Amino acid sequence: MPTFQQPVQDGQILLIATVRVDSSERSYGALFDTGAQRTMVSPKVVEEAGLEAISYTSIVPVSGKPIQTPKYRINLGIPITQGSARLLVATELEVARLPYRPNNFDILLGMDFLTIFHFTMYDGLFILSN
């Protein structure tokens, strides 16, 4: 079973995720967020990956006031290195655009993506496997 692990830093789990659209693959910083139901991408990802909206969805940010934001279909993955092999554990899903540009990540990994993995936090480590 491929496994990924890294230290939890400042109470946050930050990792690298890949976005594949057609034959293009780009890597972005991602924040693991078990409190988010939906995976979301920053305006930077939308622009750089050339994403085209498939529809709109309503999200409820921390302010509590629902807003409409575009929705996109992407292939999203986590690169896992096992020995000398690089595996990409990925799935296709619909993501929404974040209404702002975060400072330290461009993808917010929500439970729609995270449920395909088994994850554990133990002794200051974040451990992800599928």
Side-chain angles (χ1 to χ4, degrees):
M1 172 181 336
T3 300
F4 169 87
Q5 71 177 0
Q6 73 179 49
V8 176
Q9 299 172 7
D10 298 325
Q12 293 185 326
I13 301 167
L14 295 168
L15 49 127
I16 300 297
T18 62
V19 173
R20 179 176 289 160
V21 178
D22 298 326
S23 61
S24 173
E25 183 180 298
R26 295 177 180 268
S27 296
Y28 296 96
L31 176 70
F32 187 94
D33 187 353
T34 58
Q37 293 178 354
R38 165 185 302 265
T39 296
M40 301 185 75
V41 296
S42 73
K44 175 184 174 183
V45 174
V46 172
E47 182 182 315
E48 288 184 2
L51 302 180
E52 294 185 28
I54 57 171
S55 65
Y56 285 83
T57 189
S58 181
I59 63 168
V60 182
V62 176
S63 68
K65 182 179 179 187
I67 59 173
Q68 291 290 310
T69 187
K71 189 165 60 168
Y72 310 91
R73 182 168 287 119
I74 62 172
N75 186 290
L76 181 64
I78 303 291
I80 296 175
T81 303
Q82 195 168 32
S84 61
R86 179 183 178 266
L87 307 169
L88 184 63
V89 180
T91 190
E92 187 172 300
L93 75 157
E94 292 181 358
V95 298
R97 188 181 73 196
L98 284 163
Y100 60 93
R101 173 84 203 304
N103 290 332
N104 61 343
F105 65 91
D106 284 299
I107 300 173
L108 181 79
L109 297 171
M111 290 305 295
D112 58 342
F113 179 73
L114 299 173
T115 56
I116 68 171
F117 296 99
H118 172 82
F119 55 89
T120 305
M121 289 185 283
Y122 175 75
D123 197 26
L125 286 177
F126 165 70
I127 305 161
L128 180 75
S129 55
N130 72 337

